[in-house]
Amino acid sequence: MTEPVLITVKRYQCPHCSRTHSKKAAATAHIARCWRNPETKSCKTCRHFAPPEEGPYPEHPGWPEQCDEERSLAEGLRTGCPLWTALSQTA
């Protein structure tokens, strides 16, 4: 046989981001901690999240992603934040 054989593969995709998994259990575990899932109350789904910005000048590197509620994201993104506010809510 000299021709390639076509196979079909089943993948499970997170409904909040584009990540896929070969096993349903792995996809379910990912969804429970996905940064883009509002139920996890993570930084990326919070009204206070400020995405990174490039600096206007070469000597100024810009600003990293941060929280507008005076908390630093230097330790990285987090989930389960007690100050989390939905994007559609106002202060």
Side-chain angles (χ1 to χ4, degrees):
M1 180 192 251
T2 59
E3 295 294 317
V5 177
L6 175 66
I7 61 169
T8 302
V9 179
K10 185 183 285 190
R11 301 285 293 177
Y12 299 91
Q13 183 175 16
C14 174
H16 307 286
C17 69
S18 60
R19 184 146 188 185
T20 64
H21 300 271
S22 60
K23 296 183 179 170
K24 186 175 183 178
T28 301
H30 164 80
I31 292 167
R33 66 178 185 275
C34 181
W35 291 337
R36 300 197 185 278
N37 179 356
E39 292 178 10
T40 63
K41 296 185 177 182
S42 72
C43 293
K44 288 197 175 191
T45 61
C46 181
R47 185 176 70 78
H48 306 298
F49 178 71
E53 295 180 11
E54 289 189 26
Y57 309 105
E59 61 274 1
H60 187 278
W63 303 103
E65 56 191 11
Q66 60 189 7
C67 177
D68 287 339
E69 285 294 298
E70 302 299 325
R71 287 178 288 112
S72 170
L73 293 179
E75 67 274 357
L77 296 173
R78 49 192 267 186
T79 59
C81 179
L83 299 175
W84 181 86
T85 306
L87 289 171
S88 60
Q89 293 180 358
T90 58

